[in-house]
Amino acid sequence: MTRASELRDLTDDELEHRLAERRQELFNLRFQSVTGAIESHARLKLAKREIARILTVRVEREAKAGQI
């Protein structure tokens, strides 16, 4: 799991790439959950949290850019 401070150090492109990866991972985990093949349901929660962290950093950057 990535900390918000680590995410803030990434460029916008890297952040968007991580967001796309996490969303794909969440999709796959949900699919596994439905089919009963998932090993750890806790991973679903962690993926959602990481997506939320990435979105939070993105909104912070947009707000900061809007103030200047």
Side-chain angles (χ1 to χ4, degrees):
M1 183 153 58
T2 308
R3 294 175 166 262
S5 59
E6 294 170 5
L7 292 172
R8 288 185 184 99
D9 294 337
L10 299 176
T11 65
D12 289 340
D13 289 335
E14 291 171 333
L15 204 59
E16 290 301 318
H17 181 68
R18 285 240 181 138
L19 181 59
E21 286 177 345
R22 293 301 158 254
R23 285 186 169 162
Q24 182 64 40
E25 179 185 12
L26 183 60
F27 173 80
N28 291 336
L29 288 169
R30 284 180 174 156
F31 191 84
Q32 289 175 9
S33 179
V34 169
T35 60
I38 195 165
E39 294 177 10
S40 174
H41 289 280
R43 187 65 192 128
L44 274 166
K45 186 176 180 179
L46 293 176
K48 288 178 188 180
R49 282 186 179 179
E50 192 150 352
I51 289 170
R53 280 191 184 100
I54 293 169
L55 292 175
T56 299
V57 170
R58 193 168 75 175
V59 168
E60 287 173 352
R61 289 181 184 181
E62 290 172 357
K64 187 176 179 182
Q67 290 178 352
I68 296 175

